[in-house]
Amino acid sequence: MYSVITYYNVITIYKEDFMTNIKKLLQILIPGIILAIIVYALFLFFGGTILYLLGLKYNNLLSLAKFFGIFLILSMILDFIVVCFLKVLKELRGLTDTQYNLLYLTLDIPLNMIIIGISETLIKGVSCSMLTAFIFSIISYLFGIFLEKKSK
């Protein structure tokens, strides 16, 4: 009888811990999703406006939203890889900040242009010239540098 009561108490404790963990997870997950939607909407609005002014053509808002979704996903992944590579290179080779920034510039702008080209190819209702992609890549690089300096 004692082992049954102990087993019941252990299961009850695990259920309470599980429910507490689920509640904690939801408390983090829901605001995170809301924040991601807000950031995506802001990027879609401002990035779409800048690209439209630079010459981006799109059929409807849904194709523009898909374009920026693909662009954001690819750029976050590839930018993470580039930044990690450059930080390792900076540590191993002892690069100065100027050398690091020049390397990042030479990798970031062409990479953004390639990502815009891939996104444009995958979404049929969007067309973007290479000049537009180049200017947008420079603007996004400068904006990233501005945010980086402001955060320090």
Side-chain angles (χ1 to χ4, degrees):
M1 184 68 126
Y2 180 72
S3 65
V4 173
I5 293 173
T6 306
Y7 179 73
Y8 175 76
N9 288 340
V10 168
I11 289 180
T12 306
I13 290 170
Y14 283 135
K15 282 183 183 178
E16 290 172 3
D17 286 344
F18 180 74
M19 292 307 290
T20 304
N21 289 339
I22 292 293
K23 287 179 185 177
K24 287 179 183 177
L25 180 67
L26 288 177
Q27 288 173 349
I28 294 172
L29 194 62
I30 291 173
I33 290 172
I34 292 170
L35 181 65
I37 290 171
I38 291 170
V39 168
Y40 176 71
L42 288 173
F43 189 77
L44 177 65
F45 177 74
F46 290 113
T49 302
I50 291 170
L51 277 173
Y52 179 75
L53 292 174
L54 293 174
L56 177 79
K57 307 233 183 308
Y58 58 93
N59 292 343
N60 54 29
L61 193 58
L62 181 62
S63 59
L64 183 66
K66 289 178 187 177
F67 172 80
F68 272 107
I70 292 171
F71 177 76
L72 276 175
I73 291 169
L74 290 176
S75 66
M76 282 190 296
I77 293 168
L78 293 176
D79 191 52
F80 176 74
I81 293 169
V82 166
V83 167
C84 288
F85 171 74
L86 289 177
K87 285 187 179 184
V88 167
L89 194 62
K90 184 177 181 179
E91 289 296 319
L92 292 178
R93 296 290 181 180
L95 297 176
T96 64
D97 288 338
T98 305
Q99 292 171 328
Y100 175 84
N101 287 334
L102 284 174
L103 275 173
Y104 184 68
L105 170 74
T106 57
L107 290 174
D108 187 53
I109 290 176
L111 193 61
N112 272 338
M113 290 176 63
I114 292 168
I115 293 170
I116 289 173
I118 290 171
S119 301
E120 174 193 9
T121 303
L122 293 174
I123 304 300
K124 299 299 179 206
V126 176
S127 65
C128 181
S129 69
M130 286 318 263
L131 180 62
T132 300
F134 180 68
I135 294 171
F136 181 76
S137 297
I138 291 173
I139 291 171
S140 66
Y141 171 77
L142 293 174
F143 185 69
I145 293 294
F146 171 74
L147 288 179
E148 183 180 317
K149 288 190 186 236
K150 191 168 184 151
S151 69
K152 287 184 178 181

